[in-house]
Amino acid sequence: MLLDLIRASRFFLAACCAAALCIQTAGADNIMTLPAPVAKQLRKHKIAPDDASFYVHKLSEAAPRIAFNADTPRNPASTIKLLTTTAGLGILGPTYSWKTVAYAEGTIAQGRLEGNLIIKGYGDPNLTPEALWRLLWGIRERGVETIVGDLILDNSYFEPLQAGRGDFDGNPNSAYNALPSALSVNLQTTRIHLTKDDPNGDVRVFTDPPLANLSVDNRLRLVNAPCKRKYHKPTVSLVEEDSRATLRLTGTFATDCGESTYEQLLLEPTQHIAGAIVALWRTIGGRIEGAVREGTLPAGSQKIYALSSPSLEEVIRLINKRSNNLMARTLFLTLGAERLRAPGSLPKSRRAVIDWLDERGLTFPELVLDNGSGLSRETRISARSMGRLLGYVYAGPNMSELLSSLAIAGVDGTMRKRFRKSSLKGRAHIKTGTIRGGTGIAGFVLDRLGERWIVVSLINNKRLQTWRGKDVENTLLRWVYETAGDEEDVSRARVADQNGRSKSSMLQANATPEAWFLSPKTSTP
């Protein structure tokens, strides 16, 4: 009898695990299950269940459908940008914009500023070369042609960071490693353009933005050859010659290649924008008789002109869709400066975000914040906390701004190459994250019945091949879209059709009336 019971229990357990992955845990839920397709992908890619966390929650329900290792703190990679941008919208508001301001120390007469020109940055994360030109033209149009004194660049709105560009992964010239500065242009990158110069039979080189403090040593050889790597081998390097930065180009340029573009971090932020300002100032007929240096705004200086950035609701689209690290880090520092006074610093920003969460009943005890971008080995959050954050977003006043900032499956941003030929295309708004040893997604899926779901997946292992984790993510997203809706959902959809009402109007999920995303014993936000 006992033997028969044991055999029966083994058979039952095997049957369960054939349909879903069974994991024994010490938490409140003794057995947690995953959909069979997701469990299968974990096994296929040899990802241990302990290394994965999943949270799936239909917005019209009070409890999640899946909460698998949902309270385990994990490195979220760039999905943490969701927290930075959500807090940004909450603390600053969607219409917030950054300023870059020009001040005069001295009198302006007959086109001459008898003193210093000060340009102070307030953290504009998207100051383009074109915007910088507009700032300088605004100064020129207000009567300044010659600066008799110095050009002073003021970066004091943020405290200087102690880190170096190469500290994270040893690649100091890679654009994603740019560090925030209160005054910088073109995301601190220099675009190097190489093109065939037919009249002279050589290679023409120019940079964007133009840099007055960067010399070009062009040693490229033009070769009459097809555009193949064995013929087209330009090499770009930065060298110091006579205490001056020099861009040296060597190797060969194939005639059939047209134009090649390289984007790198070459100069430090202040050097970079200083070179751009001087070069652009010259193009509009301006002169500087003094030095170009870093400093702070002297008391009594007169404001000449101020340039505003695009609004925050526009900037967060660049942050989340393209996963821009520098913009996210700059926004993060701005939160500390605006909420706890300038200068902005990492400790102030961490405090500002955690206080803002607590005030809204979003207590995440496991949360570890670093720089707000995900380019960090220390950041931690759980899948459940990320899901609760998304629940708050969907119920809150800035839902449309945040949702529209996320990459759309198969359409744009970091999701543009995923689900391009799938019925899921256009029905998932997702923030992705990738870091060595970690991959994640967090966002919203509109399923085939018109119901909206929160979906979070965080997978961490120092030996993880991230493409394997992304395969698991894709399987989870497909399951939510195709299968997560239960028989009751299908029945309701049929009734809606019979009554002549559209599925979307009948089943489109509003925020659940129960604020399930709040911490216990907190009030409604």
Side-chain angles (χ1 to χ4, degrees):
M1 180 74 173
L2 180 59
L3 184 59
D4 289 340
L5 286 172
I6 292 172
R7 286 173 178 168
S9 64
R10 286 177 177 172
F11 176 81
F12 179 75
L13 182 59
C16 288
C17 290
L21 179 65
C22 299
I23 308 295
Q24 189 79 20
T25 71
D29 297 326
N30 194 39
I31 300 292
M32 296 187 296
T33 60
L34 282 180
V38 178
K40 181 179 179 181
Q41 288 301 311
L42 287 175
R43 291 193 296 270
K44 174 184 174 182
H45 293 296
K46 299 180 180 178
I47 297 174
D50 286 347
D51 293 335
S53 294
F54 304 104
Y55 185 87
V56 177
H57 197 142
K58 187 162 70 169
L59 279 162
S60 57
E61 297 178 348
R65 290 288 183 91
I66 298 174
F68 183 88
N69 292 333
D71 298 308
T72 302
R74 298 200 189 277
N75 189 326
S78 282
T79 64
I80 200 65
K81 290 183 174 76
L82 280 170
L83 176 53
T84 300
T85 51
T86 299
L89 289 169
I91 294 172
L92 306 175
T95 61
Y96 178 88
S97 65
W98 289 262
K99 301 291 188 292
T100 305
V101 186
Y103 298 87
E105 186 188 24
T107 59
I108 301 172
Q110 297 182 337
R112 294 172 65 84
L113 168 57
E114 299 291 339
N116 300 322
L117 178 73
I118 303 95
I119 297 180
K120 178 162 183 165
Y122 290 87
D124 185 349
N126 192 35
L127 185 66
T128 63
E130 295 80 8
L132 181 60
W133 183 92
R134 290 199 304 274
L135 174 70
L136 298 176
W137 184 253
I139 298 169
R140 183 76 174 78
E141 285 292 284
R142 282 155 180 79
V144 179
E145 179 179 339
T146 299
I147 303 166
V148 177
D150 295 343
L151 171 63
I152 300 174
L153 305 178
D154 186 343
N155 270 305
S156 62
Y157 188 67
F158 295 153
E159 285 186 2
L161 295 177
Q162 303 304 314
R165 283 174 171 172
D167 289 356
F168 180 71
D169 60 5
N171 294 311
N173 300 121
S174 296
Y176 62 82
N177 273 328
L179 298 175
S181 172
L183 181 62
S184 63
V185 65
N186 204 43
L187 299 173
Q188 304 176 18
T189 63
T190 303
R191 294 191 192 97
I192 305 156
H193 298 266
L194 314 178
T195 185
K196 182 176 64 172
D197 190 347
D198 287 322
N200 298 317
D202 56 14
V203 182
R204 182 167 179 263
V205 180
F206 64 96
T207 66
D208 181 21
L211 299 170
N213 53 355
L214 181 69
S215 300
V216 176
D217 179 12
N218 182 6
R219 302 182 185 183
L220 283 167
R221 290 186 299 107
L222 189 66
V223 295
N224 189 16
C227 190
K228 296 182 178 180
R229 188 164 182 81
K230 64 179 179 179
Y231 305 115
H232 188 70
K233 296 189 283 189
T235 300
V236 178
S237 59
L238 185 70
V239 297
E240 292 286 337
E241 291 187 343
D242 300 324
S243 300
R244 184 177 175 84
T246 299
L247 182 66
R248 178 169 293 165
L249 300 109
T250 58
T252 56
F253 187 96
T255 53
D256 288 356
C257 281
E259 182 173 324
S260 295
T261 304
Y262 302 86
E263 189 171 76
Q264 292 187 5
L265 298 174
L266 294 179
L267 304 178
E268 291 301 312
T270 303
Q271 293 177 318
H272 188 245
I273 196 168
I277 289 172
V278 172
L280 292 173
W281 185 244
R282 288 172 180 169
T283 66
I284 58 176
R287 297 178 58 219
I288 303 173
E289 294 184 354
V292 180
R293 60 186 174 88
E294 190 169 1
T296 55
L297 180 68
S301 298
Q302 177 186 358
K303 182 164 74 172
I304 301 176
Y305 184 66
L307 182 76
S308 296
S309 75
S311 64
L312 177 59
E313 62 186 331
E314 297 175 77
V315 171
I316 66 169
R317 291 177 188 170
L318 299 174
I319 293 174
N320 285 334
K321 284 185 181 289
R322 301 181 186 179
S323 204
N324 190 287
N325 290 318
L326 179 59
M327 287 185 174
R329 296 179 75 153
T330 304
L331 171 58
F332 189 69
L333 285 178
T334 302
L335 300 181
E338 289 288 341
R339 190 170 168 110
L340 299 174
R341 297 187 180 181
S345 66
L346 287 175
K348 285 183 182 179
S349 297
R350 293 164 189 156
R351 184 72 267 154
V353 172
I354 291 171
D355 287 349
W356 181 83
L357 286 170
D358 288 344
E359 289 165 8
R360 278 145 190 84
L362 297 170
T363 303
F364 303 158
E366 83 291 352
L367 178 64
V368 178
L369 285 173
D370 187 2
N371 56 45
S373 75
L375 202 67
S376 165
R377 306 292 180 199
E378 287 74 40
T379 303
R380 293 292 184 273
I381 194 171
S382 70
R384 189 187 305 274
S385 292
M386 188 69 80
R388 289 174 55 207
L389 177 70
L390 291 170
Y392 170 82
V393 166
Y394 203 79
N398 297 315
M399 180 272 286
S400 59
E401 288 81 4
L402 196 286
L403 192 66
S404 67
S405 77
L406 301 180
I408 305 172
V411 176
D412 66 9
T414 57
M415 289 291 290
R416 67 189 180 280
K417 295 182 179 180
R418 298 163 80 166
F419 305 106
R420 284 184 295 183
K421 298 180 179 180
S422 165
S423 54
L424 186 52
K425 179 180 179 180
R427 297 178 72 89
H429 289 71
I430 301 294
K431 181 69 202 80
T432 62
T434 306
I435 197 171
R436 189 177 69 239
T439 182
I441 56 169
F444 303 93
V445 175
L446 189 66
D447 73 16
R448 62 188 176 87
L449 300 175
E451 291 274 14
R452 200 175 296 278
W453 299 71
I454 289 170
V455 180
V456 181
S457 169
L458 300 176
I459 303 174
N460 287 181
N461 185 292
K462 62 182 180 181
R463 295 185 180 86
L464 176 71
Q465 294 174 293
T466 53
W467 70 269
R468 296 183 184 275
K470 293 182 187 302
D471 200 19
V472 174
E473 295 167 359
N474 291 346
T475 300
L476 178 65
L477 290 172
R478 287 192 198 96
W479 178 82
V480 172
Y481 170 71
E482 296 171 357
T483 313
D486 57 22
E487 293 181 0
E488 181 184 353
D489 295 331
V490 176
S491 175
R492 288 165 56 207
R494 287 173 181 163
V495 171
D497 285 343
Q498 291 168 2
N499 292 338
R501 290 171 287 178
S502 70
K503 294 179 185 178
S504 60
S505 63
M506 177 69 177
L507 297 175
Q508 177 70 37
N510 295 317
T512 174
E514 294 183 44
W516 53 264
F517 45 81
L518 296 180
S519 301
K521 299 181 181 179
T522 59
S523 58
T524 302

